[in-house]
Amino acid sequence: MSAVKPEDTVILYDPEKDKKYIVNLAVTSGKFNTEKGEIELESLVGLPYGSEVKTHLGHVYYLLPCTLYEFIMYKLRRLTQIIYPKDAAYIALRLDVKPGDLVVESGIGSGALTAVFAQLVGPEGKVVSYERREEFVKNALSNLRRFGLADRVEVKLRDIEEGFDEREEADALFLDVREPWLYLDRAYAALKPGRMLGVLLPTANQVIETLKGLKELPFIDVEVCEILLRRYKTVPERFRPEDRMPAHTAYLLFARKLKGEKSGSV
């Protein structure tokens, strides 16, 4: 059974109220105050996950590991709109991101999708993120450090108008920029033949322009989709959909690179 380490981000779960408190032990010390009493954070280190922890008033919390999903949804500091887990999971699977891969992306935003990629590539892989706004880079790297993933990410502070440094090296490439059709040739040059390009597009006109751009390059296996998520009430006596549903967040576009005469060009 795994035990809590001093750098972990943990959850203190209140079973009575079904409430989670997320605490990063690397940046928070001393006593953690809840409405049911105080918990000495130092005492959590070394405890097995799943343990019961009591406040000084005797109330029980469960000590749980914080998942990346929970960190992104509830603890990530946002300066931008993020790519939500419902989209990020499909993006990562569609791009076939796996341990040891080199993933290239532009731009980093608040680091939500970057964190997903970094967790999947593992300690032997790497995520290279191109971003032109320094304030986004600082915030995203801070988020990544809090979840222990920053050492798998290399940030290049510049506009991709200059092109990517990678030449047929990327196992996957993802664009989250305003006018991605302007950079499809750069993406093509960076990708390994046979590997996947992904693009996030908030509006339909952006999808159309990107589809037009793809026709000018040796890309196949083109897909456009959106992911809808419907949650349900978990009360057995009143099981039904929740009143509100997160609907459209973005269109997702994917295409596979073929080896062609433009391969390796900028």
Side-chain angles (χ1 to χ4, degrees), residues 84-126:
Y84 286 95
K86 77 177 182 73
D87 295 317
Y90 188 77
I91 290 167
L93 188 62
R94 194 68 173 85
L95 296 183
D96 194 33
V97 178
K98 55 191 180 299
D101 276 357
L102 169 62
V103 178
V104 176
E105 67 166 6
S106 180
I108 201 169
S110 295
L113 185 63
T114 312
V116 173
F117 287 153
Q119 179 157 282
L120 289 172
V121 300
E124 303 303 317
K126 185 167 73 170

Side-chain angles (χ1 to χ4, degrees), residues 51-63:
S51 298
E52 290 186 357
V53 178
K54 291 185 178 180
T55 70
H56 78 291
L57 298 176
H59 292 281
V60 171
Y61 286 77
Y62 292 117
L63 179 60

Side-chain angles (χ1 to χ4, degrees), residues 68 71-72 76-83 105 107-118 129 136-137 139-141 143-144 149 153:
L68 183 55
F71 180 78
I72 289 172
L76 194 84
R77 182 169 179 263
R78 304 178 187 185
L79 295 183
T80 63
Q81 178 65 269
I82 68 167
I83 296 178
E105 67 166 6
I108 201 169
S110 295
L113 185 63
T114 312
V116 173
F117 287 153
S129 186
F136 291 174
V137 170
N139 180 61
L141 287 177
N143 284 327
L144 291 163
L149 295 170
V153 178

Side-chain angles (χ1 to χ4, degrees), residues 14 48 63 114 125 137 165 170 175 211 222-223 244 258-259 265:
D14 181 349
L63 179 60
T114 312
V137 170
D165 293 333
L175 295 177
L211 288 172
V222 179
E223 175 192 25
R244 296 184 178 181
L258 275 183
K259 185 77 172 177
S265 65

Side-chain angles (χ1 to χ4, degrees), residues 192-210:
K192 292 178 179 177
R195 302 300 297 178
M196 299 297 297
L197 166 70
V199 187
L200 181 129
L201 302 149
T203 66
N205 60 301
Q206 290 172 301
V207 175
I208 292 168
E209 291 301 318
T210 305

Side-chain angles (χ1 to χ4, degrees), residues 13 36 38 41 43-44 47 58 82 100 105 113 120 135 137 141 154 180 200 216 227 239 254:
Y13 175 73
K36 296 181 178 179
E38 300 173 344
L41 294 179
S43 68
L44 304 181
L47 291 179
I82 68 167
E105 67 166 6
L113 185 63
L120 289 172
E135 66 269 30
V137 170
L141 287 177
E154 177 185 354
L200 181 129
E216 304 301 316
I227 310 297
F239 180 72
F254 302 95

